[in-house]
Amino acid sequence: MSASRRLLILGSTGSIGTQALDIVRRSPDLELVGLSAERSWEPLVQQAIDHGVDRIALVDPDAAARAGEAWTDGEVLVGPEGLVRLVLESGADLVLNALVGSAGLGPTVATLGEGIDLALANKESLVVGGELVMQLAEATGAQILPVDSEHSALHQLLAGESPGAVEKLIVTASGGPFRGRSRAELQEVTVAQALKHPTWAMGGKISIDSATLMNKGLEVIEAHHLFGTPYDRIEVVVHPQSIIHALISLTDGATLAHMGYPDMRVPIAFALHHPERMDLPVAPLDLAALGSLTFEPVDHDAFPCLRLARDAAIAGGTAPCVLNAANEVAVHAFLNDRLGFLGIPAVIEGTLERLDPAPIRAFETLYEADREAREIAAELVGSYTV
């Protein structure tokens, strides 16, 4: 590893971003060269001051204007173009993309297009543009280092195995706050209940995706692209304790598991320091204290989002992009009390039915599919009563 790695963090005010900054504080070999946020300008400016960063970007123009007035010691870049400029002009060796939603795709493309290594916490980059994104990384030789705990675990488990030896990838799911509830029992759940995740502290969008199990659908698509594994060889199993993050089954009958207490600093640090490991103040696993680990199948009737994601993934083309856009619209509507919890999969399914998957010829195809899907999903949200 080079003496110092120049790191740019996109989405630095969110859950992943703030934990990444904790790792930067413990890592003299990481030099921070830029930070970005969507609209949280006050914490972003404070982070820039604390870490001696002189360039930041804000997607929201009003937030950027206010940051520019309040902070005169550096440069504030504006909008999606500002994010891309930050990537292109920062001189980073490594970009951590911790943005939420399809807004992360542009910076992912910019990073890989420049041949810069990418620590990827933005699932949607691969869900929406997986084929093109992986081709781009291959063309420029840039590495994609997964930050999701499940994909980081798979990345580590697969490192020592030849592709022919791997039978199956198994992603674990906590089951979210509504594990064990029937479809009928989910009819009346509230936003506050859906935001209460049993094991992880996350932002709003990701917490709702976890409650609907859509996050596991997105993770299956991500794993398919990252590891080149067919969908029929990627499984999801519910594991409420969130101690095993992923497993791989091998052709000789062995199954390997990656285990640890749920702490996102572990996969973040692994991506930022790869191929080396750093010391972290994380407790080693005490199996006797845990006592037991349990597993159960996914209830597809109560949580149809995982099935919808898998179907869209298998349909291919623009279908995963449509799935993602419809999900973002539906989750936003649910968070704003404009849609019931079970309305989320209903809006997604309705949008997928209305838009046939088209082949992806360029990133433009994706932006067009995303726009169309959002229009249809918004229309469907309007037709559902809360």
Side-chain angles (χ1 to χ4, degrees):
M1 193 167 104
S2 61
S4 181
R5 193 173 269 185
R6 291 166 61 82
L7 171 67
L8 168 62
I9 301 179
L10 305 177
S12 62
T13 60
S15 169
I16 298 289
T18 50
Q19 291 177 85
L21 287 172
D22 178 54
I23 286 153
V24 169
R25 271 188 284 274
R26 301 167 191 277
S27 309
D29 55 340
L30 290 177
E31 180 196 344
L32 208 52
V33 295
L35 297 165
S36 92
E38 189 182 5
R39 62 171 63 86
S40 305
W41 68 270
E42 285 171 296
L44 184 67
V45 165
Q46 193 55 54
Q47 288 175 344
I49 293 165
D50 293 346
H51 291 272
V53 169
D54 58 12
R55 283 193 112 191
I56 61 173
L58 282 145
V59 178
D60 182 81
D62 295 342
R66 294 175 71 178
E69 285 166 19
W71 183 60
T72 51
D73 292 341
E75 188 181 0
V76 181
L77 301 173
V78 189
E81 317 73 40
L83 280 185
V84 170
R85 266 190 65 199
L86 193 62
V87 170
L88 300 180
E89 298 171 11
S90 64
D93 310 307
L94 179 65
V95 173
L96 169 58
N97 184 346
L99 299 167
V100 175
S102 53
L105 179 60
T108 285
V109 171
T111 301
L112 298 174
E114 289 295 298
I116 301 167
D117 288 346
L118 177 68
L120 187 62
N122 174 257
K123 290 182 175 66
E124 293 83 358
S125 289
L126 287 178
V127 171
V128 174
E131 289 165 52
L132 298 180
V133 166
M134 296 311 292
Q135 285 166 13
L136 188 57
E138 206 167 309
T140 62
Q143 279 192 90
I144 300 177
L145 301 157
V147 172
D148 266 356
S149 59
E150 297 82 359
H151 300 92
S152 177
L154 288 169
H155 179 74
Q156 294 173 59
L157 289 167
L158 292 166
E161 305 300 333
S162 64
V166 180
E167 193 78 43
K168 244 181 357 196
L169 310 183
I170 303 162
V171 173
T172 57
S174 70
F178 304 133
R179 180 179 64 85
R181 291 202 195 187
S182 68
R183 187 175 173 81
E185 289 170 323
L186 293 172
Q187 195 72 49
E188 302 299 326
V189 302
T190 65
V191 173
Q193 289 169 330
L195 288 171
K196 273 203 176 104
H197 194 274
T199 43
W200 298 96
M202 305 174 292
K205 157 78 165 60
I206 298 165
S207 296
I208 302 307
D209 283 351
S210 183
T212 64
L213 291 200
M214 177 55 89
N215 69 324
K216 291 301 139 182
L218 302 182
E219 284 169 18
V220 164
I221 298 172
E222 204 180 349
H224 163 78
H225 290 300
L226 282 169
F227 308 115
T229 305
Y231 286 112
D232 60 359
R233 288 173 40 205
I234 307 173
E235 276 184 18
V236 175
V237 66
V238 175
H239 165 50
Q241 296 82 16
S242 301
I243 294 294
I244 295 180
H245 305 301
L247 309 96
I248 59 171
S249 288
L250 305 175
T251 48
D252 64 359
T255 296
L256 309 182
H258 181 287
M259 304 170 73
Y261 293 118
D263 189 323
M264 279 307 295
R265 290 176 302 173
V266 177
I268 295 167
F270 186 77
L272 298 188
H273 286 276
H274 183 268
E276 295 173 14
R277 290 182 187 269
M278 70 176 283
D279 290 347
L280 283 172
V282 174
L285 203 56
D286 184 340
L287 291 172
L290 278 170
S292 63
L293 300 175
T294 60
F295 307 91
E296 56 201 58
V298 173
D299 179 349
H300 290 281
D301 179 54
F303 301 99
C305 282
L306 179 54
R307 172 184 56 78
L308 291 172
R310 208 179 259 281
D311 290 350
I314 291 163
T318 52
C321 173
V322 168
L323 168 98
N324 181 72
N327 180 56
E328 286 187 18
V329 169
V331 167
H332 187 259
F334 172 70
L335 284 168
N336 288 287
D337 291 321
R338 291 188 293 113
L339 186 66
F341 187 74
L342 293 179
I344 298 173
V347 165
I348 296 165
E349 190 158 20
T351 308
L352 284 164
E353 281 168 3
R354 297 252 305 261
L355 276 178
D356 290 332
I360 300 169
R361 308 201 194 286
F363 284 107
E364 275 313 308
T365 317
L366 295 172
Y367 295 130
E368 182 56 26
D370 179 87
R371 190 188 58 73
E372 273 190 88
R374 282 172 196 277
E375 279 178 18
I376 291 168
E379 201 181 299
L380 290 171
V381 166
S383 68
Y384 279 94
T385 48
V386 179

